[in-house]
Amino acid sequence: MEPAEPAEPAEPEAAEEVLRSRSWSRSRSRDLLLLAGICLLTLLLVNAFVARPFSVPSASMENSLRSGDRLIANKLAYAFGDHPERGDVVVFDGTGSFRRGPAEPTGFGDALRAFAQDLGLAPAGDSVYVKRVIGVGGDRVTSTGPGGRITVNGVPIDESSYLAPGDEPSNVAFDVVVPAGKLFVMGDHRSASRDSRDHLGEPGGGFVPEGRVIGRADWVVYPIGHWAGGLDRPSAFAAAGGTGGHGDQR
């Protein structure tokens, strides 16, 4: 048996082609990883500073918002010296006002969880609420109970454009002056909403600090049948404009 002839060395051109192919594959993988990292970082920054998605947890804002709706909270709405205004629908952290507990994280675990929530990496939790602003700092908000309208600084507010059908403006009588830097908020489905009215006798009086507002609810994005171009400020509050507010108590 004749010995096998040694294999001829691969052509230099073929070897170079294999090396180029491997180099291109590694470069493409790095580019894809870099692109994924940029997309993730952009998403985190948007969630932290621009807009953040939330799920509506209850029926307290029907029919403006329904339980399970996904909305986008505009975090830039009050970022440059602007304040929440009467009629705005806001998403806020109710810790310390609607829920008992410290307003700030007390430990490393709480701080880490709050940071993850700010980035949208963790669920918002049961301390986050969505309500409509009825009074701002300096406003006097009153109700005579069933059959009467809510008044802001003596101006009756026509809430028929957003109140849930069949609901009274309030079944509870109250007369409060909103402290500077705080908000008096209520749900649109008044008979199914626990809001500032339910915390009047508690520490803090049910007033929400402006600093606890996460953003203004501007868009409903899911389900498709509930899409809305914006949760506009009702014209009903225009009549109360210039009657105090944001610390100007009258």
Side-chain angles (χ1 to χ4, degrees):
M1 179 179 296
E2 295 183 0
E5 295 182 358
E8 294 184 1
E11 293 291 335
E13 293 82 359
E16 291 177 3
E17 181 65 27
V18 170
L19 291 175
R20 282 197 298 267
S21 177
R22 291 176 179 173
S23 177
W24 179 84
S25 179
R26 287 195 294 269
S27 177
R28 186 183 182 192
S29 297
R30 286 195 299 268
D31 290 345
L32 289 175
L33 287 174
L34 178 61
L35 180 60
I38 291 173
C39 290
L40 178 59
L41 178 61
T42 300
L43 179 60
L44 292 177
L45 290 174
V46 167
N47 277 355
F49 302 109
V50 180
R52 181 176 163 190
F54 287 95
S55 176
V56 178
S58 70
S60 69
M61 281 297 293
E62 290 183 346
N63 288 328
S64 303
L65 294 168
R66 298 172 175 84
S67 178
D69 281 357
R70 268 61 169 182
L71 60 82
I72 298 295
N74 179 2
K75 302 186 76 170
L76 294 179
Y78 313 120
F80 302 104
D82 290 333
H83 298 273
E85 297 188 30
R86 308 175 190 108
D88 286 354
V89 176
V90 296
V91 178
F92 63 93
D93 184 350
T95 305
S97 58
F98 277 34
R99 287 175 58 88
R100 294 183 179 180
E104 298 298 334
T106 56
F108 176 76
D110 290 339
L112 185 61
R113 188 180 305 109
F115 179 70
Q117 289 171 342
D118 286 342
L119 294 180
L121 297 177
D126 57 4
S127 66
V128 174
Y129 299 80
V130 55
K131 304 290 181 185
R132 189 178 300 276
V133 177
I134 304 298
V136 298
D139 283 343
R140 182 179 182 182
V141 185
T142 66
S143 169
T144 58
R149 291 183 179 181
I150 302 291
T151 67
V152 178
N153 302 322
V155 179
I157 305 299
D158 180 4
E159 301 185 276
S160 59
S161 66
Y162 56 81
L163 278 187
D167 272 10
E168 294 275 0
S170 178
N171 285 322
V172 178
F174 57 85
D175 186 344
V176 298
V177 174
V178 186
K182 303 289 184 68
L183 305 171
F184 188 87
V185 299
M186 299 172 71
D188 289 355
H189 193 355
R190 299 287 159 80
S191 62
S193 174
R194 286 185 54 82
D195 45 45
S196 289
R197 297 169 298 168
D198 296 280
H199 303 277
L200 291 173
E202 300 176 7
F207 301 114
V208 178
E210 288 190 23
R212 305 303 289 179
V213 172
I214 298 169
R216 187 178 65 209
D218 276 357
W219 306 280
V220 176
V221 295
Y222 181 84
I224 295 176
H226 297 174
W227 275 6
L231 295 167
D232 298 329
R233 187 178 302 127
S235 59
F237 288 90
T243 61
H246 294 298
D248 182 16
Q249 298 184 8
R250 299 186 184 180

